[in-house]
Amino acid sequence: MKKLSKVQLKQQAAVLDAVTALEQLALAELPGVLQAWFSLEYEAFPGSLLVRLQFAEQVMLDDAQPQLLQWQKRLSGLLLKKGVVLKDMRKHLVFTLNSPDD
């Protein structure tokens, strides 16, 4: 794997901080959340960023789905504090049952 540049490491740290903060909020406020994880392509950052909140069961996922926009706004705000501007916040956070290994 290619070594990340200083800029890419800074981007990764900012996203990791924001996703960790979002995960802590979700664990406290949304029943059934197991973890948050993200993927991104550095060449297309921030447009390629996709954060996933993983739920334990379909029922809990369905219950949380109406709150998705609120959580997308929270992610956007957390990233903005780190200097990352998302053009369309709705593209960057999804609720899922899949784990990072799936």
Side-chain angles (χ1 to χ4, degrees):
M1 187 170 130
K2 188 175 121 181
K3 187 175 177 183
L4 298 177
S5 72
K6 288 182 181 182
V7 170
Q8 290 169 332
L9 289 171
K10 187 176 177 181
Q11 291 169 340
Q12 183 181 37
V15 170
L16 186 59
D17 285 349
V19 171
T20 301
L22 185 78
E23 180 182 46
Q24 296 305 315
L25 287 169
L27 288 169
E29 296 178 27
L30 289 174
V33 170
L34 297 176
Q35 65 179 335
W37 50 285
F38 69 93
S39 60
L40 64 93
E41 295 174 20
Y42 292 100
E43 297 78 27
F45 182 79
S48 64
L49 175 64
L50 181 57
V51 178
R52 297 165 184 90
L53 273 179
Q54 180 186 350
F55 285 81
E57 297 176 18
Q58 183 67 45
V59 174
M60 295 171 179
L61 174 66
D62 293 341
D63 289 345
Q65 203 64 38
Q67 300 176 45
L68 180 58
L69 182 60
Q70 171 190 352
W71 286 92
Q72 290 167 333
K73 288 178 182 177
R74 283 184 169 184
L75 174 63
S76 181
L78 289 168
L79 286 169
L80 188 60
K81 287 180 183 177
K82 298 290 180 184
V84 178
V85 177
L86 301 177
K87 289 184 180 175
D88 184 0
M89 66 186 169
R90 287 169 273 160
K91 293 181 181 179
H92 301 284
L93 175 67
V94 295
F95 291 166
T96 184
L97 293 173
N98 297 335
S99 72
D101 301 326
D102 292 343

